[in-house]
């Protein structure tokens, strides 16, 4: 019962933080609410017994990416952008995309109902039994036994991107 209450608390906090990220006019306040949303997402991972994802969310996103965002916000001159004339002529595009998203959502609901499950929205999904092995051990075993080659390819691609960023950022002498 406590786990369910915590899940709904973190889910509500994540949704509220996400709405506030989009609606805030000040970029620093928006970044703070994005940090709140990412922390709430980490809390959701913890309530779902995904400890590895919880730690990665905190270290990588809240600790690394958001520090980068805040540095960029502080270094960019936002006062100039605030005083420029804003053109909001894309309302028809936003309306069209919103209508397409609503149609897609209604089609998904109609398709789910056509499968005949009476209470499909609130039905609990089938959850496999949990082994005594922890979540992090399962991820490590899968990563280094079944997915070694994709893991190494991803690490090489990240290394190439890092070297490319250093070369592009280097001042020409």
């Amino acid at each position: 019962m406590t786990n369910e209450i915590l899940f709904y608390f973190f889910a509500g906090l994540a949704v509220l933080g996400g709405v506030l990220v989009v609606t805030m006019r000040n970029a620093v306040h928006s970044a703070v609410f994005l940090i709140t949303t990412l922390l709430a997402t980490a809390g959701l991972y913890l309530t779902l017994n995904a400890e590895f994802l919880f730690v990665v969310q905190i270290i990588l996103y809240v600790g690394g990416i958001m520090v980068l965002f805040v540095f960029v916000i502080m270094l960019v001159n936002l006062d100039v952008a605030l005083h420029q004339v804003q053109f909001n002529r894309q309302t028809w595009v936003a309306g069209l995309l919103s209508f397409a998203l609503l149609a897609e959502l209604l089609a998904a609901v109609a398709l789910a109902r056509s499968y005949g499950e009476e209470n499909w929205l609130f039905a609990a999904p089938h959850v496999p039994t949990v082994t005594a092995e922890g979540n992090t051990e399962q991820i490590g075993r899968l990563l280094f036994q079944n997915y070694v080659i994709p893991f190494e390819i991803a690490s090489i691609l990240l290394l190439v991107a890092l070297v490319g960023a250093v070369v592009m950022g280097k001042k020409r002498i």
Side-chain angles (χ1 to χ4, degrees):
M1 184 67 176
T2 306
N3 200 14
E4 188 175 328
I5 292 171
L6 282 174
F7 178 84
Y8 285 121
F9 169 73
F10 286 131
L13 188 63
V15 170
L16 179 67
V19 168
L20 289 173
V21 165
V22 176
T23 57
M24 283 290 142
R25 292 195 178 267
N26 190 344
V28 176
H29 294 161
S30 183
V32 169
F33 285 118
L34 184 57
I35 291 171
T36 304
T37 303
L38 292 174
L39 286 172
T41 305
L44 285 173
Y45 289 144
L46 192 60
T47 60
L48 294 173
N49 295 325
E51 299 87 9
F52 180 75
L53 291 176
F54 166 75
V55 171
V56 167
Q57 179 80 12
I58 298 269
I59 292 172
L60 187 68
Y61 289 107
V62 177
I65 303 295
M66 285 312 302
V67 168
L68 178 69
F69 279 7
V70 170
F71 281 157
V72 168
I73 288 170
M74 294 300 177
L75 290 176
V76 172
N77 192 3
L78 294 175
D79 292 334
V80 174
L82 288 176
H83 296 299
Q84 290 177 343
V85 177
Q86 298 293 321
F87 296 100
N88 294 329
R89 296 182 182 165
Q90 293 89 11
T91 55
W92 65 274
V93 175
L96 183 68
L97 289 176
S98 298
F99 179 73
L101 183 64
L102 179 66
E104 184 179 351
L105 181 65
L106 292 176
V109 168
L111 184 65
R113 283 203 175 172
S114 69
Y115 284 121
E117 192 166 327
E118 189 63 35
N119 197 4
W120 63 274
L121 186 59
F122 300 107
H126 174 70
V127 178
T129 59
V130 178
T131 60
E133 194 173 291
N135 190 344
T136 308
E137 289 89 359
Q138 290 175 350
I139 291 173
R141 181 164 289 118
L142 278 175
L143 190 63
F144 291 116
Q145 284 181 353
N146 300 347
Y147 300 106
V148 171
I149 301 297
F151 179 75
E152 292 299 326
I153 290 172
S155 66
I156 290 171
L157 286 174
L158 287 172
L159 179 65
V160 167
L162 180 67
V163 169
V166 168
V167 168
M168 290 177 65
K170 187 175 131 180
K171 290 185 179 180
R172 304 216 184 262
I173 299 174

